[in-house]
Structures are given as C-alpha cells and as structure tokens.
Amino acid sequence: MSGADASARAGDGPAGASGAAGAGTSAPAASDPAGVPTMFDVARHAGVSHQTVSRVLNDLPGVAAATRVRVREAIAELSYTPSPTARAMARRRSGSIGLIQAGRPDYGPSSAALGFNEAARDAGYTVSQASMRTLDADVLREAVHRLVLQRVEAIVLISGEREGIDVLRGIDAGVPVVAVASEVEPGLHRVSFDQAAGARLATEHLIALGHRRIAHVAGPADSMDAAERRRGVAAALADHGLEVREPIAGDWLAASGHAAGRRLLADGWASAVVVGNDQMSLGLLHACHEAGVSVPGDLSVVGFDDIPEAAYFTPALTTVRQDFDSLGRDIMATVADVLRDEAAAPDRTSRVPELVVRESTAPPRPIPLVRESAGAPRA
C-alpha cells in the first residue's frame, strides 16, 4: 500500500482541523541502525513509559520529582539526544488532537471515531484526522509524523490490529499516544471494551438455554478483539465442562461468515454458535437459509456489535451490543487525563458490552428417543 492510499480529511471538530496523512516526508524511525539511543531506550532504562520521558523532556507537568530525576539520569547515562522538531512541537499548545483510523470503515470504528470527534469538540479541541483502508506500517509512521508537524497535543489510534500497536511502540512521537486496544500493552494508554466479558455473556446465554455443543466463528488472527472474544468463549465453555473446539476463522465480512456457516453445517456437531461480529452472522444465517436449516430451531446464533441492521435480520439477531459512542467519549476522557497528569491517567478498559436477546436463539430441540425394537432386551 502506498502513501496515496491513505486519505486525509478534516475531523468533525471545529473548522480548521486539517488532514494528516501526506506523502513525501520521511517518518520518525523506531531505532537508529547505528545503535543511537531512542526515547524508548531511555524509558526502559528509567522504568517509565515513553510518554513520561516526553513530558520530562518538554518540562510538562504531571511527573513526580523523583521520576524526573530518574529520567534525566537515564538520558545522561545513555547520551540520548531528543528530536528537536518533536520537542519544539510538543512545547506549543495547538488545541488540536490527531486521530488515525487504520482499517476498513466498519460500523464500530467509524462510530467510535464519531463519538471521539464530538467529545473533542465539546472539550474545545479540533481533530486532525488520517485514514487508511488497510493498516500499512510505513503509511502509519508517515501519518504520525505529519500529525506531529501539525503540532497536535496527542495522537489517538483506532485500529484493532496488533501491528498498529507495534508501530506506535517504535515511534518517538514526542506527544502522548492513546490507542483503542483490548489487549494489555505496557507503557501505552488504552481504551477498550472488555471483549472477553462480552463473549462470555454470549456463551453463557446459550449455555443457560441448554446448549452443550457450542461452536465459535472468530475474527482474523491479527485482531486483538477477536483474540479476546475467543478467550471469553473458551473460558465460559471450560467453566461448564463443555468441549472447546478450535474456532472457524473469518475476516469480519459476511462472505467469510457464509463460508464458515457451510463448514459448520457440514460438520453437524453444533447446536449453537457464537459469531465474532454481526456481519459474519449475516453470512452464516444465509448459509442456514440455503441449507434449509432453521434458526433458531436447528441452530441458535449469537452475533457481536449490534449494528443497526441486526434487529432486521431474518430472524432478528441476538447479539452483544457495544456502545461505540461511549467508547469514543472514553477515548477523549483518557486523552484529557493524559494531558492533565499522565502519571495518574487511568486506562478505560473495563466497560462491559450488553447482551441483546432477540429471535435467533432458543433452547435446543430435544433429542428424539429411539424406539426399542421388538424382542430387544430392556436395560
């Protein structure tokens, strides 16, 4: 993917917010091939986050005196020389926050970005926004670099892929970074739903209905949310002594849910399935319709996200609702906390999704009794 694939547009803040993803400017490097120390080396040496190192370098508040001393000692011991451009930008308040969206413009990320933009506007900030349809490490570095040049006070990343976090970890941005990330990432300010808890709700619902053979159609392997949902499904099944089968992997799109549904029906084992998102659930429901399999009579289906169309699927989809508008506002609240006092800023990762029960789930059909043949001995 080239830099031309990253579209830059103004956010939903007040007039004046500008795009961020440009081309032709070199991006900040993760480390120097000659072994020159970076801000991340200083952070590891001092036992703090790289954002704390940035605050010390720029004489910003929110860092304890003893921590400042430790960071400055690490800087001296490593002979670290900070980027003058990043320092100059970080010292100047711009009233602007950078937002990077990496990945398809699906309902969840787009809704969270909208909620963040609205919360930022309410707080008096403009938003400079960069978007890329697929996560590309070079384009992401370029977007961060362009946002820093625009003097943003912080950068937000909305992308569920681990690679985005890996890229951020290696960039000496000079400003705080907040990411939507459902997996633990030391040294990074995180906001997320408790994805494992949401998946557990879905699985426990099916177990309470009487299902004992529950399959899982998961999202892609590089997705943090998909991994957490897999963990939640497996934990709920294990807690009830039920078989935990390897999930069928999809890619969040309806076509992959359709393919997963055909595999599931050909196997014939499951009486219920937890699907990684509503789009894949739609494809799976279509596979059931094609095969003449009744939902929920023959197979109960639970989705995830509660997209606006979920209530109008046939049958209406039982799903796990995520309040993406609130997620966006949590992102802005975390940014505000970080800018106010980074050392005391809490992560916001405990919001639990809500189970919405509709028509696609029901108790399993009773297994018909086998009539004894004439003359067969009784048990």
Side-chain angles (χ1 to χ4, degrees), residues 106-374:
D106 293 333
Y107 172 73
S110 297
S111 298
L114 180 59
F116 166 74
N117 271 286
E118 291 174 344
R121 182 178 62 238
D122 292 344
Y125 285 91
T126 59
V127 176
S128 294
Q129 186 161 327
S131 300
M132 56 200 74
R133 198 171 287 276
T134 58
L135 195 152
D136 179 278
D138 291 337
V139 178
L140 179 55
R141 292 188 189 95
E142 174 70 11
V144 171
H145 182 59
R146 297 298 298 175
L147 288 169
V148 170
L149 291 177
Q150 293 179 35
R151 301 188 298 110
V152 297
E153 296 182 31
I155 293 174
V156 171
L157 174 68
I158 298 180
S159 174
E161 298 178 33
R162 293 187 190 89
E163 184 182 3
I165 304 302
D166 293 339
V167 171
L168 286 183
R169 193 189 301 118
I171 296 177
D172 188 346
V175 297
V177 177
V178 175
V180 177
S182 53
E183 293 181 341
V184 175
E185 181 59 39
L188 184 71
H189 300 291
R190 294 190 304 122
V191 180
S192 74
F193 290 106
D194 189 334
Q195 301 291 338
R200 180 182 282 273
L201 280 175
T203 311
E204 294 281 0
H205 167 65
L206 293 171
I207 294 171
L209 288 173
H211 292 279
R212 297 297 178 264
R213 292 171 286 114
I214 301 171
H216 181 41
V217 175
D222 60 353
S223 166
M224 292 178 285
D225 288 353
E228 286 297 291
R229 292 171 196 174
R230 287 178 64 157
R231 186 168 66 86
V233 171
L237 293 174
D239 286 350
H240 290 269
L242 302 178
E243 182 178 352
V244 181
R245 289 198 166 187
E246 185 67 20
I248 301 173
D251 63 3
W252 299 133
L253 298 178
S256 70
H258 180 262
R262 294 183 66 176
R263 284 183 56 185
L264 195 70
L265 297 177
D267 178 71
W269 173 79
S271 67
V273 56
V274 177
V275 187
N277 75 339
D278 291 347
Q279 293 288 353
M280 293 193 297
S281 298
L282 177 62
L284 189 144
L285 289 175
H286 187 62
C288 291
H289 174 73
E290 290 177 329
V293 172
S294 169
V295 176
D298 300 316
L299 182 73
S300 283
V301 179
V302 182
F304 213 104
D305 283 342
D306 194 28
I307 62 176
E309 298 83 3
Y312 302 95
F313 288 2
T314 303
L317 185 66
T318 295
T319 186
V320 178
R321 175 181 295 160
Q322 302 193 89
D323 186 346
F324 292 109
D325 182 70
S326 293
L327 179 66
R329 294 184 178 277
D330 280 352
I331 296 169
M332 183 59 222
T334 303
V335 170
D337 286 343
V338 169
L339 293 175
R340 186 181 306 112
D341 183 350
E342 183 178 10
D347 287 348
R348 288 175 169 82
T349 59
S350 59
R351 188 185 290 275
V352 177
E354 173 191 359
L355 179 70
V356 179
V357 179
R358 297 193 179 103
E359 299 168 4
S360 65
T361 53
R365 285 178 175 169
I367 299 175
L369 296 175
V370 178
R371 189 183 300 272
E372 294 180 356
S373 59

Side-chain angles (χ1 to χ4, degrees), residues 19-165:
T25 306
S26 60
S31 60
D32 190 288
V36 176
T38 69
M39 181 188 293
F40 297 90
D41 297 320
V42 174
R44 283 189 292 270
H45 196 73
V48 299
S49 71
H50 70 276
Q51 290 96 340
T52 297
V53 175
S54 174
R55 296 186 79 85
V56 173
L57 288 169
N58 293 292
D59 297 322
L60 296 174
V63 182
T67 303
R68 287 184 185 274
V69 170
R70 194 162 73 250
V71 170
R72 295 193 184 283
E73 288 176 347
I75 290 171
E77 291 172 11
L78 296 177
S79 299
Y80 168 66
T81 302
S83 162
T85 301
R87 290 193 65 180
M89 295 301 176
R91 286 176 182 274
R92 300 162 60 188
R93 289 185 57 84
S94 64
S96 179
I97 300 169
L99 170 62
I100 301 173
Q101 280 187 265
R104 292 188 309 268
D106 293 333
Y107 172 73
S110 297
S111 298
L114 180 59
F116 166 74
N117 271 286
E118 291 174 344
R121 182 178 62 238
D122 292 344
Y125 285 91
T126 59
V127 176
S128 294
Q129 186 161 327
S131 300
M132 56 200 74
R133 198 171 287 276
T134 58
L135 195 152
D136 179 278
D138 291 337
V139 178
L140 179 55
R141 292 188 189 95
E142 174 70 11
V144 171
H145 182 59
R146 297 298 298 175
L147 288 169
V148 170
L149 291 177
Q150 293 179 35
R151 301 188 298 110
V152 297
E153 296 182 31
I155 293 174
V156 171
L157 174 68
I158 298 180
S159 174
E161 298 178 33
R162 293 187 190 89
E163 184 182 3
I165 304 302

